[in-house]
Amino acid sequence: MKSRYINPFTDFGFKKLFGEEASKPMLIDFLNALLSQTNKIVDLNFKNTEQLGQTDTDRKVIYDIYCENESGEKFIVELQKAKQNYFKERTIYYSTFPIREQAEKGEWNYNLKSVYCIGILDFTFDDYENEPEKSHVVHTIKLKNQNGKIFYDKLTYIYLEMPNFKKREHELNSRLDKWLFFIRHLEDFQTIPAIFSDEIFTQAFEKAELAKFGQAELDSYENSLKNYRDLKGVIDTAFDDGKMERSKEIAKALKQNGVLIDIIIKSTGLTQEEVDKL
């Protein structure tokens, strides 16, 4: 059966749902459900997703979504479609840019605004084999000392292991549950489940409906969907312990399948120079 709605794990689908000006209410609602902050996010401003290091030798970073709320807090929201080498290191590296950009010229008291790095993962971690955390969906990480006490509360990493979310419609008991159910199953819906009756989700389904797309958008989506399927097909079967040679094999296979260079770099951890040489 042909899909009625976009696949939110594609680059096009993810940005359509959460990365456009018209999608801002959905992104705000999703972040408020995820973060459960006392002070809810009222507004967001999208920022430049391309980040450059301070020197020519620093690597360029391109976020999926980068935004700032009315209090100046920074939010990086990344979609990760398949396992890659040094994934956690990459997330930590990404978090240094919104920290460094807060530096002020002249005398400055180093009072930083909070930074949140959120990863929506279409795979599961390998770290928790035979541990209780293995079935968790939401992993929230902060800097703590040896006694488990928060050392610094303004840097937060949140990873959502989407394959671990297995709740059915009648089991959804929170706003976050609804968003995770929406993201996990959107492409499979033929009708809108009764539980999604409020205005925010009505908007989300309207933005996701393929019948409302023009031909240019449909072409862009189909290309993004092909890249997603190629990526999943190659990496899900070929990913191993993260050795450089294996990364090059994966990158070469992706390149031969016509996957975009930016996606290859993002998925393998290789540099553009390394990919160009393949």
Side-chain angles (χ1 to χ4, degrees):
M1 186 179 295
K2 189 174 181 180
S3 296
R4 180 180 177 184
Y5 299 104
I6 56 176
N7 182 327
F9 292 99
T10 62
D11 289 330
F12 180 95
F14 184 67
K15 289 173 183 174
K16 187 73 175 174
L17 287 169
F18 295 113
E20 298 179 348
E21 280 294 324
S23 308
K24 199 179 289 185
M26 281 83 84
L27 180 60
I28 291 172
D29 195 273
F30 171 69
L31 290 176
N32 280 332
L34 178 62
L35 300 174
S36 300
Q37 296 171 312
T38 303
N39 298 318
K40 296 292 185 181
I41 300 169
V42 176
D43 193 16
L44 289 172
N45 291 313
F46 288 111
K47 297 174 66 67
N48 187 1
T49 57
E50 183 176 299
Q51 307 294 309
L52 299 175
Q54 295 179 337
T55 69
D56 291 339
T57 57
D58 282 351
R59 185 177 298 179
K60 181 172 71 172
V61 164
I62 299 178
Y63 302 136
D64 287 335
I65 296 173
Y66 181 34
C67 53
E68 178 180 291
N69 71 2
E70 67 280 358
S71 301
E73 296 176 320
K74 322 289 184 182
F75 301 85
I76 298 168
V77 186
E78 283 281 298
L79 176 69
Q80 190 63 39
K81 297 179 284 296
K83 295 177 183 180
Q84 66 170 247
N85 299 321
Y86 311 116
F87 167 65
K88 294 176 185 176
E89 286 87 345
R90 174 174 167 266
T91 308
I92 292 170
Y93 177 69
Y94 273 23
S95 70
T96 65
F97 286 84
I99 293 173
R100 288 190 294 173
E101 76 173 19
Q102 297 182 53
E104 299 177 7
K105 292 182 178 180
E107 266 192 52
W108 174 48
N109 62 6
Y110 292 92
N111 184 19
L112 296 168
K113 297 291 186 179
S114 296
V115 173
Y116 297 87
C117 296
I118 298 158
I120 302 174
L121 315 182
D122 195 17
F123 60 89
T124 58
F125 288 128
D126 294 327
D127 310 47
Y128 301 118
E129 195 70 33
N130 300 320
E131 295 183 23
E133 290 88 348
K134 183 179 180 181
S135 61
H136 286 189
V137 177
V138 181
H139 299 266
T140 303
I141 296 95
K142 288 181 177 286
L143 296 178
K144 299 181 180 182
N145 67 13
Q146 68 274 19
N147 299 316
K149 184 177 179 180
I150 298 293
F151 171 74
Y152 181 70
D153 66 354
K154 292 183 180 180
L155 180 59
T156 306
Y157 301 94
I158 301 175
Y159 301 102
L160 302 176
E161 289 186 275
M162 296 304 298
N164 282 344
F165 185 79
K166 303 184 186 300
K167 288 187 177 181
R168 292 171 290 181
E169 185 178 345
H170 70 276
E171 297 173 312
L172 308 181
N173 53 27
S174 70
R175 190 68 175 179
L176 181 58
D177 278 351
K178 289 184 180 181
W179 273 115
L180 296 179
F181 188 76
F182 174 85
I183 294 170
R184 183 89 163 85
H185 300 290
L186 177 59
E187 189 183 24
D188 301 322
F189 294 140
Q190 289 300 317
T191 59
I192 300 176
I195 198 167
F196 296 120
S197 58
D198 62 75
E199 179 61 25
I200 289 294
F201 282 110
T202 298
Q203 292 178 35
F205 276 100
E206 286 179 355
K207 283 190 69 65
E209 190 170 2
L210 292 169
K212 297 184 182 298
F213 290 4
Q215 190 57 51
E217 283 191 312
L218 282 174
D219 291 344
S220 294
Y221 172 63
E222 288 298 331
N223 184 58
S224 185
L225 184 62
K226 179 183 183 301
N227 285 334
Y228 168 76
R229 288 171 175 167
D230 288 345
L231 181 68
K232 292 287 289 181
V234 174
I235 293 184
D236 284 356
T237 56
F239 190 87
D240 64 2
D241 295 332
K243 295 179 181 178
M244 179 61 73
E245 287 304 312
R246 198 54 170 165
S247 295
K248 289 180 178 178
E249 290 176 18
I250 293 171
K252 187 174 182 180
L254 292 174
K255 195 173 181 181
Q256 289 173 343
N257 277 281
V259 177
L260 296 176
I261 297 297
D262 285 349
I263 295 176
I264 297 175
I265 293 170
K266 195 172 182 180
S267 303
T268 62
L270 298 176
T271 65
Q272 181 162 349
E273 183 180 3
E274 288 168 336
V275 175
D276 288 341
K277 289 179 179 178
L278 297 176

